[in-house]
Amino acid sequence: MRLLVPLGLLGLTGLIVLLIIYIIKPSYENRAISSTYIWKESLKYRKKEKTDSVFRNLLIILCQVLIITLSAFILATPLIKLYSAEDIDQNIIIIDGSANMMASKEDSTRFEKAKNQALSLAESSINDQIPVSIIFAGEKAEYVVSEELSLEKIDESLSSLQCCYGSGDVEGAMNLAKTILSESDAQVYYYTATHYQNTGDVNVVDVSSEDEWNTCVLDVRAEYEENYYVFTVDVAVYGSDKYLNIYLNIDGANDEGETVYAEKRVNCQGGETATVEFGDLGIYRYDSVEATIKTDDGTTDNFEYDDTFRLYGGRKETIKIQYSSTLPNNFFSGALMTLQNRYKDTWDIVISQPAKASEIEMSGFDLYIFEHSMPAALPTDGVVLLVNPNTVPYGLELTLGESVSGDFKMTGGVVSPIMNYIDPTSITATTYRPITSADGFETIMYCEGDSVFAVKNTEDLKIAVLTINLNMSNLAILYEFPVLINNIFEYFIPSTLQDNVFDVGEEIEVQARGSDVKIVDTQKETPIEPPLSITINTPGSYKITQMLSSGKRSEVSFFVKISAKESNINRTDSEIAGASGIEKPKDIETDIYIWLAAALLAILFLERLLQSRKNI
């Protein structure tokens, strides 16, 4: 029993008042009576049992004591425990599998400490015949054991757990714990090295050490300034203050492919990011840049997985475009130059414009643009754009109708990325040739209900056909025209990767423009099946390879790193993700007002009854 308002027991002081009343109560009265009356009353008194009067008075006093005591207890609000918080159904153990749990000290990682301490808790729980459920917050939250009472099985399951290199799915683990809590009463224990300002009702067990620290390379960037690269390196030290030496190793520098080294020293304090710039190295092309760090005093940090950072993208792939026209359009040339300038950081775009038919190449280019006069057959490789074709190249399953003249406005066809940011109704023309049949083509623009712009994008053929004469249309002078050329380029020749640096566990979208797409690391090649989206869970260097239609195998390298969040091995978060709604088992109590009130009324009634019966 627990008293909600203990001060209510002050009501027991009424017992002292009752005692005082009985002490000072007068036992006789001064009265003048006749001697005859005394004799008569004396005879009556002799006929009574004196013990009956004493017993009645004792009962009255007892009732009065009980009345005061019950009143005091009612004021104190007593609660009776129906269920104890200690009577739990099981213990739930969550182990953080985030990368920072691999920080080690004295040949033991935080993760090993967490597993050992979780095993100790499981042993204690099983000794008390309380089952244990263990949840691992790794790349994806999962049950390790469920309501297990076998310590041997728990030990075996914990031994098989491996820490991940990314951020653990803590929120998912907490949601799994909530599923268990919805069906039973349990305590939740969370073994982690992350500190939290608000832990809620989760029992957080900290497995970190106060003197752990980490040095890390957070980022490396390359900016092209005045025809040369300037490299910027971001570094930090968490849990200590250190002077760091930053070593830059540039492989495949310039046309000679030489190796260039550079070194700088920086002071890092208080977990603040320090930025170091490497300029004046004379680098205009490179294969890769590796940045590594070491402390000035030679000490080694507790987390080794982020001491090296590799950057790719310094040797751009060449994209060759050939624009062939019997009546060259200056707007076309301008759109291609705009394309060349826009992608200068991604591609080395080379534009060729043959002046004679004999100079036209039918192989060796990534994009062929033929305007007005068409080749007898399609090129053997690359993407083809036919504009205002006078004939259909041999082997192309497409037919054209006769030229139609008038004042026409275009309308949209199927939704396609090629028409992004383009309003087809703003495009007009005075002449066009309808595409009367096109096997496997998609029509993305119509004129008077006739197909005038169709595309086909398969492994064997990548082609777009526009049957409008740009010299007889407003399209070339609209701002949409360079946008259209850019959309065609992006659609058929996309950048394989949008970046060359990714975090562990980050979803990486691969846009292939060839076949036989594979991801390659130092140990194996893994084919990628559509949709081309991958997630890499181990830091290191990788590359995407694909076979282009030209027969050339394209390679794009990239680096997967530990996230900056995990590099901060001493970080503090505001709250545990997903822990909202988790509650510790609590005592279940109920009040006993109705019973105390009933007892009080019964005793009051009894006391009044005793007071009224003088002959007891």
Side-chain angles (χ1 to χ4, degrees):
M1 184 176 66
R2 182 172 67 92
L3 300 179
L4 191 62
V5 187
L7 288 176
L9 293 179
L10 291 175
L12 293 175
T13 56
L15 295 175
I16 300 175
V17 176
L18 180 64
L19 178 62
I20 294 173
I21 291 173
Y22 274 101
I23 290 175
I24 66 174
K25 181 179 179 181
S27 57
Y28 63 91
E29 294 181 12
N30 290 324
R31 219 169 157 189
I33 57 175
S34 65
S35 59
T36 306
Y37 177 78
I38 292 175
W39 284 111
K40 289 180 180 180
E41 291 299 318
S42 174
L43 291 174
K44 293 179 182 180
Y45 181 76
R46 289 181 62 184
K47 293 177 181 180
K48 280 188 177 183
E49 290 289 340
K50 189 173 183 181
T51 56
D52 288 344
S53 178
V54 172
F55 177 69
R56 169 179 167 275
N57 291 336
L58 287 175
L59 286 176
I60 291 174
I61 293 172
L62 179 60
C63 288
Q64 291 171 345
V65 170
L66 289 175
I67 289 169
I68 295 173
T69 302
L70 286 173
S71 298
F73 267 92
I74 290 174
L75 291 174
T77 315
L79 299 175
I80 297 296
K81 185 185 295 185
L82 299 180
Y83 176 84
S84 175
E86 298 177 356
D87 300 330
I88 57 174
D89 299 325
Q90 63 178 303
N91 283 314
I92 302 172
I93 298 174
I94 299 175
I95 299 177
D96 188 1
S98 301
N100 73 81
M101 293 287 284
M102 289 190 289
S104 63
K105 185 180 180 184
E106 298 176 354
D107 299 327
S108 178
T109 66
R110 294 170 166 182
F111 191 60
E112 291 298 326
K113 292 178 184 177
K115 291 197 294 183
N116 291 336
Q117 292 183 30
L119 184 62
S120 297
L121 175 61
E123 182 178 9
S124 174
S125 180
I126 290 171
N127 289 338
D128 294 334
Q129 292 301 304
I130 300 175
V132 174
S133 292
I134 299 179
I135 301 171
F136 178 48
E139 295 165 6
K140 185 178 181 181
E142 59 180 339
Y143 290 108
V144 178
V145 295
S146 179
E147 297 187 47
E148 186 59 56
L149 282 169
S150 170
L151 187 62
E152 182 180 354
K153 184 175 181 180
I154 292 174
D155 188 13
E156 181 182 349
S157 299
L158 287 175
S159 298
S160 65
L161 293 181
Q162 297 292 327
C163 199
C164 69
Y165 289 93
S167 296
D169 184 13
V170 177
E171 183 174 3
M174 294 296 166
N175 288 334
L176 291 180
K178 285 186 218 178
T179 302
I180 298 175
L181 289 170
S182 66
E183 300 173 354
S184 64
D185 293 305
Q187 292 273 9
V188 179
Y189 296 87
Y190 176 37
Y191 289 83
T192 182
T194 302
H195 305 106
Y196 296 95
Q197 295 175 347
N198 178 22
T199 60
D201 280 347
V202 176
N203 298 302
V204 175
V205 182
D206 184 8
V207 295
S208 66
S209 301
E210 290 184 3
D211 53 351
E212 290 175 332
W213 59 281
N214 179 42
T215 62
C216 57
V217 184
L218 295 174
D219 193 18
V220 178
R221 299 178 298 279
E223 296 181 4
Y224 204 61
E225 298 180 2
E226 298 181 357
N227 300 320
Y228 293 101
Y229 280 106
V230 175
F231 301 100
T232 305
V233 182
D234 292 339
V235 296
V237 178
Y238 298 103
S240 183
D241 297 333
K242 295 286 182 179
Y243 278 94
L244 296 182
N245 293 317
I246 305 172
Y247 303 94
L248 213 61
N249 185 349
I250 305 168
D251 289 330
N254 301 334
D255 295 330
E256 298 79 12
E258 59 185 357
T259 301
V260 176
Y261 299 96
E263 177 184 347
K264 284 195 176 183
R265 183 171 180 264
V266 64
N267 184 18
C268 293
Q269 294 184 339
E272 296 294 328
T273 300
T275 300
V276 180
E277 187 176 282
F278 290 83
D280 301 325
L281 297 178
I283 307 296
Y284 55 84
R285 189 176 291 117
Y286 64 89
D287 290 333
S288 66
V289 177
E290 183 181 72
T292 58
I293 53 174
K294 292 183 179 179
T295 59
D296 199 43
D297 58 10
T299 54
T300 304
D301 65 3
N302 300 107
F303 189 71
E304 62 180 348
Y305 303 97
D306 51 10
D307 294 344
T308 301
F309 193 111
R310 189 173 285 272
L311 180 68
Y312 296 95
R315 192 174 294 276
K316 298 184 287 291
E317 184 178 355
T318 299
I319 299 296
K320 298 176 67 176
I321 300 176
Q322 177 181 263
Y323 169 48
S324 172
S325 175
T326 54
L327 187 61
N329 189 314
N330 290 333
F331 293 104
F332 230 131
S333 299
L336 292 176
M337 291 180 64
T338 300
L339 194 71
Q340 185 182 47
N341 183 67
R342 178 176 182 183
Y343 293 99
K344 64 181 181 180
D345 293 333
T346 306
W347 309 101
D348 184 9
I349 298 178
V350 178
I351 301 172
S352 174
Q353 189 170 335
K356 301 177 183 179
S358 60
E359 298 176 352
I360 298 175
E361 300 287 344
M362 299 303 292
S363 66
F365 286 84
D366 298 281
L367 174 60
Y368 299 87
I369 302 174
F370 296 98
E371 186 180 27
H372 307 310
S373 180
M374 300 293 110
L378 292 175
T380 57
D381 57 8
V383 179
V384 180
L385 172 60
L386 306 180
V387 180
N388 188 33
N390 60 343
T391 60
V392 177
Y394 175 78
L396 181 60
E397 297 180 353
L398 180 144
T399 58
L400 299 174
E402 295 297 324
S403 179
V404 180
S405 299
D407 293 323
F408 308 112
K409 181 179 290 188
M410 307 300 118
T411 57
V414 299
V415 178
S416 170
I418 292 179
M419 297 300 288
N420 284 347
Y421 313 110
I422 296 174
D423 179 12
T425 61
S426 66
I427 302 172
T428 61
T430 58
T431 182
Y432 73 91
R433 291 189 69 178
I435 300 173
T436 54
S437 67
D439 186 29
F441 281 76
E442 286 186 333
T443 298
I444 59 177
M445 193 163 67
Y446 290 92
C447 180
E448 296 294 309
D450 293 324
S451 172
V452 293
F453 192 14
V455 298
K456 187 175 185 179
N457 186 9
T458 64
E459 186 175 320
D460 299 325
L461 182 62
K462 300 178 183 297
I463 188 170
V465 181
L466 178 63
T467 61
I468 296 173
N469 186 344
L470 296 180
N471 298 321
M472 307 294 288
S473 169
N474 70 338
L475 175 58
I477 63 174
L478 294 176
Y479 79 90
E480 281 101 333
F481 183 63
V483 174
L484 177 63
I485 300 302
N486 178 80
N487 289 349
I488 292 173
F489 183 85
E490 286 190 340
Y491 180 73
F492 287 109
I493 311 178
S495 296
T496 305
L497 299 173
Q498 298 303 309
D499 200 353
N500 49 41
V501 177
F502 301 92
D503 285 344
V504 168
E506 182 179 352
E507 185 175 354
I508 304 173
E509 183 180 353
V510 180
Q511 300 186 83
R513 56 189 179 97
S515 59
D516 191 25
V517 184
K518 296 179 179 179
I519 178 172
V520 182
D521 61 17
T522 57
Q523 298 178 344
K524 61 181 179 178
E525 293 185 358
T526 306
I528 306 175
E529 300 295 336
L532 303 181
S533 179
I534 58 175
T535 299
I536 297 179
N537 298 316
T538 304
S541 294
Y542 300 83
K543 60 184 176 182
I544 300 293
T545 68
Q546 55 187 316
M547 184 63 69
L548 304 180
S549 59
S550 62
K552 174 186 174 183
R553 193 155 194 90
S554 170
E555 295 184 355
V556 178
S557 297
F558 62 100
F559 181 69
V560 177
K561 68 180 183 69
I562 298 289
S563 71
K565 175 183 176 182
E566 295 303 318
S567 290
N568 184 1
I569 64 173
N570 304 105
R571 77 175 188 271
T572 299
D573 290 344
S574 58
E575 59 184 13
I576 304 173
S580 175
I582 291 180
E583 296 183 356
K584 290 181 180 178
K586 297 179 175 61
D587 293 339
I588 299 176
E589 300 173 316
T590 186
D591 61 71
I592 53 175
Y593 291 131
I594 187 67
W595 304 107
L596 292 177
L600 180 61
L601 287 174
I603 294 172
L604 280 172
F605 176 79
L606 178 60
E607 195 269 346
R608 287 293 88 196
L609 181 64
L610 292 172
Q611 290 283 7
S612 63
R613 299 298 179 92
K614 300 293 186 180
N615 57 347
I616 293 179

